[in-house]
Amino acid sequence: DISSDVTLSYIGGTSIPTEGEFQVLLQVSNSAGDSLEMPLTVEYYNAAQERTRPKIGLTDYLIYVRSGQKVQPEDYLDNLTLDGRHYYFDAENQAFVQEGNTYQQAINSIESGLILPLSQLQIAAPGVYRDPGVYEITYRCASAAGVIGTVRLVIVVENSGG
């Protein structure tokens, strides 16, 4: 466990965060003096909204890829909790299906809200990952009350040569 060796600093000098998104830099060094830095975005939000905040679950939150490798944001979706309902992501049909139902059952049901289209999410992806570095794909969803839920997939792009 190296967690005690990891330092976090706010890019731009912010030390007491308020509600919002902030850029941070994680740094760690080993006993040989090798060090690693990773810029990330952290979000501080109003805890009173936690119960109503949409929650987007991913299969992974940090991935490593080679430069030029294609990344499909939808490939990492797993589940969604929205307005008190729990959904799983049906990759074949590119839709969220309420738990306890198959896609076919949900589409044939007269009950509304059993299926949510992928367009329920806003997905912001940088696109091409040619240059080594750290990138983020941001997934956002709004509840009926307008509360926004956000999650990020961090992509570390390594040189193609290894």
Side-chain angles (χ1 to χ4, degrees), residues 64-150:
Y64 289 83
V65 299
R66 299 276 182 215
S67 60
Q69 185 176 336
K70 190 171 179 118
V71 175
Q72 294 291 345
E74 299 83 8
D75 290 349
Y76 299 92
L77 288 170
D78 185 56
N79 61 72
L80 173 66
T81 299
L82 179 63
D83 297 323
R85 289 185 169 192
H86 304 286
Y87 300 85
Y88 68 90
F89 185 67
D90 182 314
E92 181 180 343
N93 294 296
Q94 294 289 290
F96 290 95
V97 180
Q98 187 171 1
E99 289 181 359
N101 295 282
T102 66
Y103 180 82
Q104 198 60 45
Q105 289 170 330
I107 204 145
N108 290 331
S109 174
I110 59 170
E111 185 179 345
S112 66
L114 296 182
I115 295 178
L116 298 177
L118 180 59
S119 61
Q120 186 74 32
L121 296 182
Q122 295 174 339
I123 302 174
V128 180
Y129 306 96
R130 289 193 183 114
D131 299 324
V134 179
Y135 301 86
E136 294 178 338
I137 295 176
T138 304
Y139 304 80
R140 283 192 167 85
C141 184
S143 70
V147 178
I148 304 293
T150 304

